[in-house]
């Protein structure tokens, strides 16, 4: 894709440290134009998510519309945000923040998604990296949304790799399984970038130190602070991650799939979400050539492209080259 034909992206997010990393990848990448940021509860409350999205764009000197979205799951009771993973502020507990003036777009996130899709039919890619309530709400407002968007790429779920909130569930899907099942059955062009690939890419804090040293900029200093906190959590949990004092990049992999799909091995199949019980939040994939008699798996259930393998070294290089590029003005 040339510079004049960039991917127009709405970024649906709950920043969140890896969400911040992904946002800066998107802002830095020459083939991506972020046309809006829609926020949701998840890693933090939706209020904090919106505050962080405004802050991250402001300190990177970017004007991007930011909206506030759903504050709780579709059906189940909400849970307290995971402060030990992302910090109480979602950015690894920043000691101070610069004064900024960016203001929220007053529309609800779902309305913003619908307005943008109607105004740009077939052109917008929705990259969703939090719980999926904004997408479910947008589908309710505009049932034609799957035909109005170019495609949806989501970070969430897992097929083979064990879950990160239960043996079978990944956090974004767990946080709103009812919304997620609506998203997997809506009929858009859909790609799932889940733990099967995000757990294959361990990013060392040293990489973000190198990027911050190169740019000497508040945006990359903020990212380094946040990643360092986040790596502390992951290093405490996984000895192989601790070995390099690193972290999983989760959300940034959704954007790397957008720009470099050739780095991923994928399989297509019908995906459904367990909405309650012990397996709540599990993303179950129909991977057989034959049909099951069980209802819920009929041929009309849309296909999802699921990422199962990634070239970890090459995707880390893409991330590094993108963030080391000339995307920040002093
Ligand atoms: C996902 O959950 C959140 O903690 C991360 O931001 C990512 O979107 C990983 O399971
Ligand atoms: Ca996220």
């Amino acid at each position: 894709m040339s510079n004049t034909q960039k991917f127009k992206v709405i970024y649906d997010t709950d920043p969140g440290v890896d969400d911040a990393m992904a946002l800066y990848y998107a802002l830095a990448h020459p083939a991506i134009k972020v046309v809006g940021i829609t926020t949701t509860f998840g890693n933090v409350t939706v209020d904090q998510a919106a505050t962080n999205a405004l802050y991250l764009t402001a300190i990177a000197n970017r004007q991007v519309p930011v909206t506030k979205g759903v504050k709780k799951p579709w059906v189940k009771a909400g849970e307290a945000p995971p402060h030990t993973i992302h910090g109480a502020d979602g950015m690894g507990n920043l000691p101070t923040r610069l004064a900024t003036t960016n203001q929220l777009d007053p529309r609800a996130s779902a309305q913003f998604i619908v307005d943008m899709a109607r105004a740009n039919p077939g052109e917008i890619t929705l990259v969703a990296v939090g719980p999926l309530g904004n997408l479910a709400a947008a589908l309710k407002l505009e049932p034609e949304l799957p035909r109005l968007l170019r495609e949806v790429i989501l970070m969430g779920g897992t097929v083979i790799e064990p879950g990160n909130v239960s043996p079978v569930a990944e956090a974004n899907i767990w946080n709103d399984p009812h919304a997620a099942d609506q998203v997997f059955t809506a009929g858009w062009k859909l790609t799932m970038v889940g733990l099967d690939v995000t757990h294959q890419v361990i990013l060392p804090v040293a990489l973000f130190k190198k990027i911050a040293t190169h740019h000497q900029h508040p945006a990359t200093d903020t990212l380094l602070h946040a990643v360092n906190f986040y790596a502390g959590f992951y290093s405490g949990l996984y000895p192989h991650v601790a070995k390099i004092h690193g972290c999983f990049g989760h959300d940034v992999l959704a954007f790397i799939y957008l720009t470099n799909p050739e780095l991923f091995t994928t399989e297509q199949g019908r995906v459904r979400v367990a909405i309650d019980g012990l397996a709540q939040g599990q993303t179950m994939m129909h991977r057989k050539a034959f049909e099951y008699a069980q209802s819920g798996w009929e041929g009309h259930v849309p296909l999802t492209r699921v990422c199962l393998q990634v070239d970890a070294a090459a995707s880390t290089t893409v991330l590094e080259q993108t963030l080391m590029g000339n995307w920040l003005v002093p």
Side-chain angles (χ1 to χ4, degrees), residues 11 13-20 42-43 82 85-86 128-131 155-157 163-165 169-173 175 193-195 198-199 230 234 248-252:
Y11 181 41
T13 177
D14 57 336
V17 178
D18 56 321
D19 305 71
N43 294 325
I85 307 176
H86 298 268
V129 300
M155 188 282 133
N164 58 3
V165 288
E170 179 281 330
N172 288 337
I173 308 299
N175 273 326
V193 181
L195 301 181
T198 69
H199 277 183
Y230 183 64
Y234 277 115
F248 300 125
H250 296 303
D251 295 345
V252 75

Side-chain angles (χ1 to χ4, degrees), residues 45-75:
T45 64
V46 69
D47 289 330
Q48 187 66 46
T51 297
N52 290 344
L54 286 170
Y55 186 68
L56 290 164
T57 47
I59 61 174
N61 297 316
R62 302 296 181 106
Q63 290 288 339
V64 182
V66 175
T67 63
K68 210 192 282 184
V70 294
K71 58 173 187 259
K72 60 183 179 54
W74 205 252
V75 174

